Amino acid sequence: MSFDSRLLSGVGVLAAVVEAGSFVRAGEALGITQSGVSRAIARLEQRVGIRIFHRTARSITLTEEGRQFYEEVSPHLSGIEDAAIKAGGSTATVRGRLRVNVDAAFGIHVLAPAIEPFLARYPDLHVELAVRDRMGDLVAEGFDVAIRFGEPEPSSLIARLLLRTRVLTCATPTYLARHGTPQRPEDLEAGHQCVLMRDPTTGRGFLWEFQKGKEIVSVTAHGSLMVNETGALLGACLGGQGIAQPLALYAEDYLRDGRLVQVLPDWADETFPLYIYHRSQNLMSARVRAFLDFVIELTKRRA
């Protein structure tokens, strides 16, 4: 297939649609009409011989073939942009828009409060932090990077372990003075209010596990409050509602100043991993590379 410059133009329109989420918003970003966007995508589909988008009256989504095509070409667009910047003699190669899909608690409690020096270093960079319950399809939704807790599932994405943080069991001194301090994991099953965290995959509370060395004990925790977000979990625990299991990454400051007390410290060997995800190392854009370096350094200080 001989090179056609219109192919490159069509790929640029495709990237704008994926990032914007609609033909209308992509047209606004590109300065062309919605019909112009639609015609460009239709020409691209004809050129490459696949259907790129499922279109309905309310939404557009990438087809499986479209997702694979976009995953292959989008790193090259970033490489072309970086090459153009370097050819123009600019030293500020870290520029443009970076879209980050991030776990809510990490985004709110760790990343957002620490990002100012990073953005000050790269004034031509604009970062969009999208707090999501789940990672979803990083490519189809136009994200450059994702930061998520939990073991990675098999995919074409590169997954890099940032840290492992312990799962702690905590309560306020006031709550423990009223209800007593559990001495064994089984003590939580009777006479204690536990603040439960909702498992998005089942709709029920997460099973509580306690680990001491290689020994693991599972406990059915009971409580009148269930939450689906770490901020609410910590807030309820700090308010004296009951015993909770926050990650050490978020609880350490409260333990240090005495607002929370760790319960069953000998049973706190369970850890939870945090990974950063991105696409192929080949032709990685300068902005993605700079953000990876920043997050790796940030989490080293918190590990």
mmCIF file of all heavy atoms in Angstrom, residues 136-185:
data_model
loop_
_atom_site.group_PDB
_atom_site.id
_atom_site.type_symbol
_atom_site.label_atom_id
_atom_site.label_comp_id
_atom_site.label_asym_id
_atom_site.label_seq_id
_atom_site.Cartn_x
_atom_site.Cartn_y
_atom_site.Cartn_z
ATOM 1 N N GLY A 136 -10.961 -0.016 32.991
ATOM 2 C CA GLY A 136 -11.647 -0.075 31.711
ATOM 3 C C GLY A 136 -10.656 -0.317 30.578
ATOM 4 O O GLY A 136 -9.603 -0.919 30.762
ATOM 5 N N ASP A 137 -10.992 0.180 29.394
ATOM 6 C CA ASP A 137 -10.146 0.010 28.214
ATOM 7 C C ASP A 137 -9.317 1.262 28.027
ATOM 8 O O ASP A 137 -9.799 2.276 27.528
ATOM 9 C CB ASP A 137 -11.014 -0.258 26.986
ATOM 10 C CG ASP A 137 -10.196 -0.725 25.780
ATOM 11 O OD1 ASP A 137 -9.040 -0.289 25.645
ATOM 12 O OD2 ASP A 137 -10.714 -1.519 24.977
ATOM 13 N N LEU A 138 -8.067 1.194 28.425
ATOM 14 C CA LEU A 138 -7.179 2.359 28.400
ATOM 15 C C LEU A 138 -7.068 2.933 26.995
ATOM 16 O O LEU A 138 -7.130 4.153 26.799
ATOM 17 C CB LEU A 138 -5.795 1.945 28.912
ATOM 18 C CG LEU A 138 -4.805 3.053 29.247
ATOM 19 C CD1 LEU A 138 -5.204 3.756 30.520
ATOM 20 C CD2 LEU A 138 -3.394 2.492 29.373
ATOM 21 N N VAL A 139 -6.931 2.066 26.018
ATOM 22 C CA VAL A 139 -6.733 2.517 24.642
ATOM 23 C C VAL A 139 -8.008 3.117 24.076
ATOM 24 O O VAL A 139 -8.016 4.227 23.541
ATOM 25 C CB VAL A 139 -6.240 1.349 23.760
ATOM 26 C CG1 VAL A 139 -6.158 1.770 22.307
ATOM 27 C CG2 VAL A 139 -4.888 0.851 24.244
ATOM 28 N N ALA A 140 -9.124 2.392 24.202
ATOM 29 C CA ALA A 140 -10.375 2.836 23.595
ATOM 30 C C ALA A 140 -10.864 4.156 24.174
ATOM 31 O O ALA A 140 -11.535 4.926 23.487
ATOM 32 C CB ALA A 140 -11.448 1.758 23.770
ATOM 33 N N GLU A 141 -10.528 4.418 25.430
ATOM 34 C CA GLU A 141 -10.983 5.650 26.070
ATOM 35 C C GLU A 141 -9.964 6.778 25.973
ATOM 36 O O GLU A 141 -10.170 7.856 26.526
ATOM 37 C CB GLU A 141 -11.337 5.372 27.531
ATOM 38 C CG GLU A 141 -12.504 4.400 27.688
ATOM 39 C CD GLU A 141 -12.897 4.193 29.141
ATOM 40 O OE1 GLU A 141 -13.177 5.184 29.832
ATOM 41 O OE2 GLU A 141 -12.903 3.030 29.588
ATOM 42 N N GLY A 142 -8.865 6.538 25.276
ATOM 43 C CA GLY A 142 -7.924 7.608 24.989
ATOM 44 C C GLY A 142 -7.032 8.018 26.137
ATOM 45 O O GLY A 142 -6.549 9.159 26.166
ATOM 46 N N PHE A 143 -6.765 7.106 27.084
ATOM 47 C CA PHE A 143 -5.876 7.430 28.192
ATOM 48 C C PHE A 143 -4.439 7.076 27.834
ATOM 49 O O PHE A 143 -4.170 6.109 27.116
ATOM 50 C CB PHE A 143 -6.278 6.675 29.461
ATOM 51 C CG PHE A 143 -7.535 7.191 30.088
ATOM 52 C CD1 PHE A 143 -8.731 6.499 29.967
ATOM 53 C CD2 PHE A 143 -7.526 8.383 30.797
ATOM 54 C CE1 PHE A 143 -9.896 6.975 30.542
ATOM 55 C CE2 PHE A 143 -8.682 8.872 31.375
ATOM 56 C CZ PHE A 143 -9.870 8.172 31.244
ATOM 57 N N ASP A 144 -3.507 7.864 28.351
ATOM 58 C CA ASP A 144 -2.090 7.603 28.142
ATOM 59 C C ASP A 144 -1.524 6.674 29.206
ATOM 60 O O ASP A 144 -0.641 5.851 28.926
ATOM 61 C CB ASP A 144 -1.298 8.918 28.169
ATOM 62 C CG ASP A 144 -1.741 9.878 27.081
ATOM 63 O OD1 ASP A 144 -1.450 9.597 25.910
ATOM 64 O OD2 ASP A 144 -2.381 10.896 27.405
ATOM 65 N N VAL A 145 -2.013 6.821 30.436
ATOM 66 C CA VAL A 145 -1.459 6.119 31.598
ATOM 67 C C VAL A 145 -2.600 5.770 32.535
ATOM 68 O O VAL A 145 -3.612 6.486 32.594
ATOM 69 C CB VAL A 145 -0.438 7.017 32.345
ATOM 70 C CG1 VAL A 145 0.109 6.316 33.574
ATOM 71 C CG2 VAL A 145 0.713 7.412 31.437
ATOM 72 N N ALA A 146 -2.452 4.682 33.285
ATOM 73 C CA ALA A 146 -3.393 4.346 34.351
ATOM 74 C C ALA A 146 -2.611 3.970 35.597
ATOM 75 O O ALA A 146 -1.520 3.388 35.507
ATOM 76 C CB ALA A 146 -4.311 3.197 33.940
ATOM 77 N N ILE A 147 -3.158 4.319 36.767
ATOM 78 C CA ILE A 147 -2.562 3.949 38.058
ATOM 79 C C ILE A 147 -3.645 3.251 38.860
ATOM 80 O O ILE A 147 -4.640 3.868 39.242
ATOM 81 C CB ILE A 147 -2.035 5.179 38.814
ATOM 82 C CG1 ILE A 147 -1.030 5.955 37.958
ATOM 83 C CG2 ILE A 147 -1.386 4.761 40.133
ATOM 84 C CD1 ILE A 147 -0.601 7.280 38.565
ATOM 85 N N ARG A 148 -3.464 1.958 39.089
ATOM 86 C CA ARG A 148 -4.523 1.161 39.708
ATOM 87 C C ARG A 148 -3.948 0.203 40.745
ATOM 88 O O ARG A 148 -2.824 -0.287 40.617
ATOM 89 C CB ARG A 148 -5.250 0.318 38.656
ATOM 90 C CG ARG A 148 -5.646 1.016 37.388
ATOM 91 C CD ARG A 148 -6.595 2.164 37.576
ATOM 92 N NE ARG A 148 -7.758 1.840 38.378
ATOM 93 C CZ ARG A 148 -8.750 2.707 38.631
ATOM 94 N NH1 ARG A 148 -8.673 3.935 38.146
ATOM 95 N NH2 ARG A 148 -9.777 2.355 39.354
ATOM 96 N N PHE A 149 -4.759 -0.088 41.767
ATOM 97 C CA PHE A 149 -4.426 -1.103 42.754
ATOM 98 C C PHE A 149 -4.877 -2.477 42.259
ATOM 99 O O PHE A 149 -5.822 -2.601 41.482
ATOM 100 C CB PHE A 149 -5.097 -0.801 44.094
ATOM 101 C CG PHE A 149 -4.364 0.213 44.926
ATOM 102 C CD1 PHE A 149 -4.809 1.521 44.986
ATOM 103 C CD2 PHE A 149 -3.233 -0.136 45.638
ATOM 104 C CE1 PHE A 149 -4.141 2.467 45.754
ATOM 105 C CE2 PHE A 149 -2.552 0.791 46.401
ATOM 106 C CZ PHE A 149 -3.013 2.091 46.463
ATOM 107 N N GLY A 150 -4.201 -3.516 42.749
ATOM 108 C CA GLY A 150 -4.562 -4.884 42.428
ATOM 109 C C GLY A 150 -3.619 -5.501 41.419
ATOM 110 O O GLY A 150 -2.916 -4.805 40.690
ATOM 111 N N GLU A 151 -3.609 -6.829 41.388
ATOM 112 C CA GLU A 151 -2.737 -7.538 40.450
ATOM 113 C C GLU A 151 -3.225 -7.315 39.026
ATOM 114 O O GLU A 151 -4.425 -7.330 38.757
ATOM 115 C CB GLU A 151 -2.718 -9.036 40.766
ATOM 116 C CG GLU A 151 -2.114 -9.387 42.115
ATOM 117 C CD GLU A 151 -0.629 -9.047 42.218
ATOM 118 O OE1 GLU A 151 0.005 -8.807 41.164
ATOM 119 O OE2 GLU A 151 -0.104 -9.034 43.344
ATOM 120 N N PRO A 152 -2.308 -7.099 38.081
ATOM 121 C CA PRO A 152 -2.721 -6.824 36.701
ATOM 122 C C PRO A 152 -3.297 -8.054 36.024
ATOM 123 O O PRO A 152 -2.871 -9.182 36.275
ATOM 124 C CB PRO A 152 -1.423 -6.374 36.026
ATOM 125 C CG PRO A 152 -0.333 -6.971 36.852
ATOM 126 C CD PRO A 152 -0.848 -7.030 38.250
ATOM 127 N N GLU A 153 -4.286 -7.807 35.153
ATOM 128 C CA GLU A 153 -4.834 -8.871 34.327
ATOM 129 C C GLU A 153 -4.048 -8.933 33.015
ATOM 130 O O GLU A 153 -3.441 -7.949 32.612
ATOM 131 C CB GLU A 153 -6.319 -8.605 34.054
ATOM 132 C CG GLU A 153 -7.167 -8.597 35.313
ATOM 133 C CD GLU A 153 -8.630 -8.317 35.014
ATOM 134 O OE1 GLU A 153 -8.957 -8.103 33.820
ATOM 135 O OE2 GLU A 153 -9.433 -8.302 35.957
ATOM 136 N N PRO A 154 -4.045 -10.090 32.359
ATOM 137 C CA PRO A 154 -3.309 -10.211 31.096
ATOM 138 C C PRO A 154 -3.809 -9.199 30.063
ATOM 139 O O PRO A 154 -5.014 -9.059 29.847
ATOM 140 C CB PRO A 154 -3.616 -11.650 30.647
ATOM 141 C CG PRO A 154 -3.990 -12.374 31.905
ATOM 142 C CD PRO A 154 -4.671 -11.365 32.773
ATOM 143 N N SER A 155 -2.896 -8.455 29.449
ATOM 144 C CA SER A 155 -3.248 -7.482 28.416
ATOM 145 C C SER A 155 -1.988 -7.098 27.661
ATOM 146 O O SER A 155 -0.883 -7.530 28.005
ATOM 147 C CB SER A 155 -3.894 -6.234 29.032
ATOM 148 O OG SER A 155 -2.923 -5.378 29.598
ATOM 149 N N SER A 156 -2.167 -6.279 26.643
ATOM 150 C CA SER A 156 -1.025 -5.806 25.858
ATOM 151 C C SER A 156 -0.330 -4.623 26.517
ATOM 152 O O SER A 156 0.699 -4.153 26.036
ATOM 153 C CB SER A 156 -1.487 -5.402 24.457
ATOM 154 O OG SER A 156 -2.433 -4.341 24.536
ATOM 155 N N LEU A 157 -0.875 -4.126 27.632
ATOM 156 C CA LEU A 157 -0.296 -2.970 28.309
ATOM 157 C C LEU A 157 0.950 -3.376 29.103
ATOM 158 O O LEU A 157 1.070 -4.514 29.566
ATOM 159 C CB LEU A 157 -1.317 -2.349 29.260
ATOM 160 C CG LEU A 157 -2.593 -1.797 28.631
ATOM 161 C CD1 LEU A 157 -3.568 -1.361 29.718
ATOM 162 C CD2 LEU A 157 -2.284 -0.631 27.695
ATOM 163 N N ILE A 158 1.850 -2.422 29.276
ATOM 164 C CA ILE A 158 2.993 -2.604 30.165
ATOM 165 C C ILE A 158 2.538 -2.249 31.583
ATOM 166 O O ILE A 158 1.978 -1.177 31.812
ATOM 167 C CB ILE A 158 4.167 -1.698 29.761
ATOM 168 C CG1 ILE A 158 4.541 -1.908 28.284
ATOM 169 C CG2 ILE A 158 5.360 -1.926 30.669
ATOM 170 C CD1 ILE A 158 5.015 -3.297 27.963
ATOM 171 N N ALA A 159 2.740 -3.158 32.531
ATOM 172 C CA ALA A 159 2.371 -2.924 33.929
ATOM 173 C C ALA A 159 3.644 -2.904 34.777
ATOM 174 O O ALA A 159 4.397 -3.876 34.793
ATOM 175 C CB ALA A 159 1.421 -4.011 34.434
ATOM 176 N N ARG A 160 3.865 -1.794 35.490
ATOM 177 C CA ARG A 160 5.061 -1.664 36.342
ATOM 178 C C ARG A 160 4.616 -1.524 37.792
ATOM 179 O O ARG A 160 3.807 -0.651 38.123
ATOM 180 C CB ARG A 160 5.891 -0.456 35.923
ATOM 181 C CG ARG A 160 7.055 -0.197 36.859
ATOM 182 C CD ARG A 160 8.093 0.698 36.271
ATOM 183 N NE ARG A 160 9.208 0.908 37.198
ATOM 184 C CZ ARG A 160 10.373 1.395 36.855
ATOM 185 N NH1 ARG A 160 10.617 1.741 35.607
ATOM 186 N NH2 ARG A 160 11.338 1.552 37.747
ATOM 187 N N LEU A 161 5.153 -2.369 38.660
ATOM 188 C CA LEU A 161 4.823 -2.303 40.082
ATOM 189 C C LEU A 161 5.437 -1.054 40.701
ATOM 190 O O LEU A 161 6.646 -0.824 40.589
ATOM 191 C CB LEU A 161 5.342 -3.550 40.796
ATOM 192 C CG LEU A 161 5.091 -3.623 42.311
ATOM 193 C CD1 LEU A 161 3.598 -3.721 42.612
ATOM 194 C CD2 LEU A 161 5.837 -4.798 42.927
ATOM 195 N N LEU A 162 4.611 -0.249 41.360
ATOM 196 C CA LEU A 162 5.087 0.958 42.023
ATOM 197 C C LEU A 162 5.400 0.709 43.498
ATOM 198 O O LEU A 162 6.420 1.147 44.011
ATOM 199 C CB LEU A 162 4.049 2.074 41.899
ATOM 200 C CG LEU A 162 3.809 2.628 40.491
ATOM 201 C CD1 LEU A 162 2.632 3.598 40.508
ATOM 202 C CD2 LEU A 162 5.054 3.316 39.952
ATOM 203 N N LEU A 163 4.499 0.020 44.177
ATOM 204 C CA LEU A 163 4.718 -0.266 45.595
ATOM 205 C C LEU A 163 3.749 -1.340 46.051
ATOM 206 O O LEU A 163 2.782 -1.661 45.360
ATOM 207 C CB LEU A 163 4.555 0.997 46.457
ATOM 208 C CG LEU A 163 3.240 1.780 46.405
ATOM 209 C CD1 LEU A 163 2.126 1.130 47.238
ATOM 210 C CD2 LEU A 163 3.447 3.203 46.913
ATOM 211 N N ARG A 164 4.029 -1.881 47.205
ATOM 212 C CA ARG A 164 3.087 -2.745 47.920
ATOM 213 C C ARG A 164 2.849 -2.118 49.283
ATOM 214 O O ARG A 164 3.809 -1.858 50.018
ATOM 215 C CB ARG A 164 3.627 -4.178 48.072
ATOM 216 C CG ARG A 164 3.629 -4.965 46.788
ATOM 217 C CD ARG A 164 4.018 -6.421 47.002
ATOM 218 N NE ARG A 164 3.933 -7.177 45.769
ATOM 219 C CZ ARG A 164 2.831 -7.760 45.315
ATOM 220 N NH1 ARG A 164 1.720 -7.691 46.034
ATOM 221 N NH2 ARG A 164 2.832 -8.419 44.175
ATOM 222 N N THR A 165 1.600 -1.862 49.597
ATOM 223 C CA THR A 165 1.258 -1.238 50.870
ATOM 224 C C THR A 165 0.477 -2.221 51.727
ATOM 225 O O THR A 165 -0.327 -3.003 51.216
ATOM 226 C CB THR A 165 0.444 0.058 50.637
ATOM 227 O OG1 THR A 165 0.197 0.699 51.892
ATOM 228 C CG2 THR A 165 -0.863 -0.216 49.925
ATOM 229 N N ARG A 166 0.728 -2.205 53.023
ATOM 230 C CA ARG A 166 0.057 -3.156 53.918
ATOM 231 C C ARG A 166 -1.403 -2.779 54.142
ATOM 232 O O ARG A 166 -1.782 -1.609 54.094
ATOM 233 C CB ARG A 166 0.779 -3.206 55.265
ATOM 234 C CG ARG A 166 2.131 -3.895 55.200
ATOM 235 C CD ARG A 166 2.676 -4.139 56.594
ATOM 236 N NE ARG A 166 2.762 -2.909 57.370
ATOM 237 C CZ ARG A 166 2.633 -2.825 58.691
ATOM 238 N NH1 ARG A 166 2.397 -3.905 59.406
ATOM 239 N NH2 ARG A 166 2.770 -1.674 59.308
ATOM 240 N N VAL A 167 -2.205 -3.796 54.395
ATOM 241 C CA VAL A 167 -3.601 -3.596 54.791
ATOM 242 C C VAL A 167 -3.638 -3.573 56.318
ATOM 243 O O VAL A 167 -3.288 -4.564 56.975
ATOM 244 C CB VAL A 167 -4.505 -4.720 54.246
ATOM 245 C CG1 VAL A 167 -5.952 -4.491 54.688
ATOM 246 C CG2 VAL A 167 -4.411 -4.799 52.724
ATOM 247 N N LEU A 168 -4.033 -2.441 56.899
ATOM 248 C CA LEU A 168 -4.059 -2.283 58.350
ATOM 249 C C LEU A 168 -5.487 -2.353 58.883
ATOM 250 O O LEU A 168 -6.443 -2.072 58.165
ATOM 251 C CB LEU A 168 -3.433 -0.940 58.754
ATOM 252 C CG LEU A 168 -2.013 -0.668 58.244
ATOM 253 C CD1 LEU A 168 -1.521 0.664 58.799
ATOM 254 C CD2 LEU A 168 -1.064 -1.795 58.639
ATOM 255 N N THR A 169 -5.606 -2.722 60.135
ATOM 256 C CA THR A 169 -6.898 -2.726 60.820
ATOM 257 C C THR A 169 -6.832 -1.646 61.891
ATOM 258 O O THR A 169 -5.926 -1.661 62.732
ATOM 259 C CB THR A 169 -7.183 -4.102 61.451
ATOM 260 O OG1 THR A 169 -7.039 -5.118 60.452
ATOM 261 C CG2 THR A 169 -8.590 -4.156 62.018
ATOM 262 N N CYS A 170 -7.771 -0.693 61.861
ATOM 263 C CA CYS A 170 -7.672 0.501 62.695
ATOM 264 C C CYS A 170 -9.014 0.883 63.316
ATOM 265 O O CYS A 170 -10.083 0.528 62.803
ATOM 266 C CB CYS A 170 -7.182 1.695 61.854
ATOM 267 S SG CYS A 170 -5.621 1.439 61.008
ATOM 268 N N ALA A 171 -8.925 1.642 64.395
ATOM 269 C CA ALA A 171 -10.103 2.226 65.039
ATOM 270 C C ALA A 171 -9.639 3.431 65.846
ATOM 271 O O ALA A 171 -8.440 3.622 66.078
ATOM 272 C CB ALA A 171 -10.799 1.210 65.936
ATOM 273 N N THR A 172 -10.588 4.245 66.285
ATOM 274 C CA THR A 172 -10.236 5.386 67.133
ATOM 275 C C THR A 172 -10.031 4.923 68.574
ATOM 276 O O THR A 172 -10.602 3.906 69.001
ATOM 277 C CB THR A 172 -11.341 6.442 67.111
ATOM 278 O OG1 THR A 172 -12.559 5.869 67.630
ATOM 279 C CG2 THR A 172 -11.574 6.972 65.707
ATOM 280 N N PRO A 173 -9.237 5.653 69.360
ATOM 281 C CA PRO A 173 -9.099 5.316 70.779
ATOM 282 C C PRO A 173 -10.442 5.323 71.504
ATOM 283 O O PRO A 173 -10.671 4.486 72.394
ATOM 284 C CB PRO A 173 -8.176 6.424 71.313
ATOM 285 C CG PRO A 173 -7.408 6.895 70.117
ATOM 286 C CD PRO A 173 -8.353 6.777 68.967
ATOM 287 N N THR A 174 -11.341 6.228 71.114
ATOM 288 C CA THR A 174 -12.658 6.307 71.770
ATOM 289 C C THR A 174 -13.471 5.050 71.508
ATOM 290 O O THR A 174 -14.107 4.494 72.422
ATOM 291 C CB THR A 174 -13.424 7.535 71.267
ATOM 292 O OG1 THR A 174 -12.647 8.700 71.516
ATOM 293 C CG2 THR A 174 -14.770 7.660 71.974
ATOM 294 N N TYR A 175 -13.463 4.581 70.260
ATOM 295 C CA TYR A 175 -14.211 3.365 69.946
ATOM 296 C C TYR A 175 -13.668 2.182 70.746
ATOM 297 O O TYR A 175 -14.429 1.394 71.319
ATOM 298 C CB TYR A 175 -14.129 3.055 68.445
ATOM 299 C CG TYR A 175 -14.765 1.729 68.105
ATOM 300 C CD1 TYR A 175 -16.115 1.636 67.808
ATOM 301 C CD2 TYR A 175 -14.016 0.537 68.139
ATOM 302 C CE1 TYR A 175 -16.712 0.399 67.540
ATOM 303 C CE2 TYR A 175 -14.601 -0.694 67.864
ATOM 304 C CZ TYR A 175 -15.943 -0.753 67.583
ATOM 305 O OH TYR A 175 -16.538 -1.968 67.339
ATOM 306 N N LEU A 176 -12.355 2.039 70.803
ATOM 307 C CA LEU A 176 -11.756 0.908 71.518
ATOM 308 C C LEU A 176 -12.005 0.996 73.018
ATOM 309 O O LEU A 176 -12.165 -0.034 73.689
ATOM 310 C CB LEU A 176 -10.259 0.841 71.217
ATOM 311 C CG LEU A 176 -9.891 0.570 69.746
ATOM 312 C CD1 LEU A 176 -8.388 0.634 69.550
ATOM 313 C CD2 LEU A 176 -10.438 -0.786 69.292
ATOM 314 N N ALA A 177 -12.058 2.211 73.563
ATOM 315 C CA ALA A 177 -12.357 2.373 74.987
ATOM 316 C C ALA A 177 -13.779 1.918 75.298
ATOM 317 O O ALA A 177 -14.049 1.370 76.379
ATOM 318 C CB ALA A 177 -12.166 3.837 75.393
ATOM 319 N N ARG A 178 -14.691 2.139 74.349
ATOM 320 C CA ARG A 178 -16.093 1.747 74.550
ATOM 321 C C ARG A 178 -16.323 0.259 74.342
ATOM 322 O O ARG A 178 -17.089 -0.372 75.067
ATOM 323 C CB ARG A 178 -17.012 2.515 73.588
ATOM 324 C CG ARG A 178 -17.356 3.918 74.024
ATOM 325 C CD ARG A 178 -18.631 4.412 73.328
ATOM 326 N NE ARG A 178 -18.687 4.084 71.918
ATOM 327 C CZ ARG A 178 -18.302 4.903 70.946
ATOM 328 N NH1 ARG A 178 -17.809 6.095 71.260
ATOM 329 N NH2 ARG A 178 -18.402 4.534 69.688
ATOM 330 N N HIS A 179 -15.660 -0.310 73.308
ATOM 331 C CA HIS A 179 -15.997 -1.674 72.887
ATOM 332 C C HIS A 179 -14.900 -2.695 73.155
ATOM 333 O O HIS A 179 -15.115 -3.892 72.935
ATOM 334 C CB HIS A 179 -16.336 -1.685 71.391
ATOM 335 C CG HIS A 179 -17.495 -0.809 71.041
ATOM 336 N ND1 HIS A 179 -18.796 -1.201 71.197
ATOM 337 C CD2 HIS A 179 -17.528 0.469 70.553
ATOM 338 C CE1 HIS A 179 -19.608 -0.220 70.804
ATOM 339 N NE2 HIS A 179 -18.863 0.796 70.412
ATOM 340 N N GLY A 180 -13.743 -2.240 73.601
ATOM 341 C CA GLY A 180 -12.644 -3.164 73.841
ATOM 342 C C GLY A 180 -11.799 -3.369 72.601
ATOM 343 O O GLY A 180 -12.239 -3.108 71.475
ATOM 344 N N THR A 181 -10.587 -3.847 72.804
ATOM 345 C CA THR A 181 -9.645 -4.063 71.701
ATOM 346 C C THR A 181 -9.602 -5.540 71.344
ATOM 347 O O THR A 181 -9.315 -6.379 72.212
ATOM 348 C CB THR A 181 -8.234 -3.586 72.090
ATOM 349 O OG1 THR A 181 -8.276 -2.202 72.425
ATOM 350 C CG2 THR A 181 -7.259 -3.812 70.946
ATOM 351 N N PRO A 182 -9.904 -5.905 70.104
ATOM 352 C CA PRO A 182 -9.832 -7.322 69.701
ATOM 353 C C PRO A 182 -8.426 -7.875 69.895
ATOM 354 O O PRO A 182 -7.436 -7.205 69.589
ATOM 355 C CB PRO A 182 -10.215 -7.286 68.216
ATOM 356 C CG PRO A 182 -10.904 -5.983 68.012
ATOM 357 C CD PRO A 182 -10.320 -5.031 68.996
ATOM 358 N N GLN A 183 -8.357 -9.093 70.368
ATOM 359 C CA GLN A 183 -7.071 -9.756 70.576
ATOM 360 C C GLN A 183 -6.765 -10.786 69.505
ATOM 361 O O GLN A 183 -5.610 -11.130 69.296
ATOM 362 C CB GLN A 183 -7.068 -10.441 71.958
ATOM 363 C CG GLN A 183 -7.316 -9.501 73.118
ATOM 364 C CD GLN A 183 -6.272 -8.384 73.189
ATOM 365 O OE1 GLN A 183 -5.060 -8.645 73.131
ATOM 366 N NE2 GLN A 183 -6.740 -7.140 73.308
ATOM 367 N N ARG A 184 -7.815 -11.272 68.852
ATOM 368 C CA ARG A 184 -7.669 -12.241 67.769
ATOM 369 C C ARG A 184 -8.573 -11.811 66.618
ATOM 370 O O ARG A 184 -9.587 -11.138 66.844
ATOM 371 C CB ARG A 184 -8.085 -13.644 68.228
ATOM 372 C CG ARG A 184 -7.316 -14.185 69.429
ATOM 373 C CD ARG A 184 -7.947 -15.483 69.876
ATOM 374 N NE ARG A 184 -9.372 -15.291 70.190
ATOM 375 C CZ ARG A 184 -10.273 -16.255 70.272
ATOM 376 N NH1 ARG A 184 -9.894 -17.525 70.054
ATOM 377 N NH2 ARG A 184 -11.531 -16.000 70.559
ATOM 378 N N PRO A 185 -8.262 -12.203 65.386
ATOM 379 C CA PRO A 185 -9.151 -11.838 64.278
ATOM 380 C C PRO A 185 -10.592 -12.278 64.493
ATOM 381 O O PRO A 185 -11.535 -11.554 64.149
ATOM 382 C CB PRO A 185 -8.524 -12.567 63.074
ATOM 383 C CG PRO A 185 -7.074 -12.669 63.412
ATOM 384 C CD PRO A 185 -7.028 -12.877 64.902
#
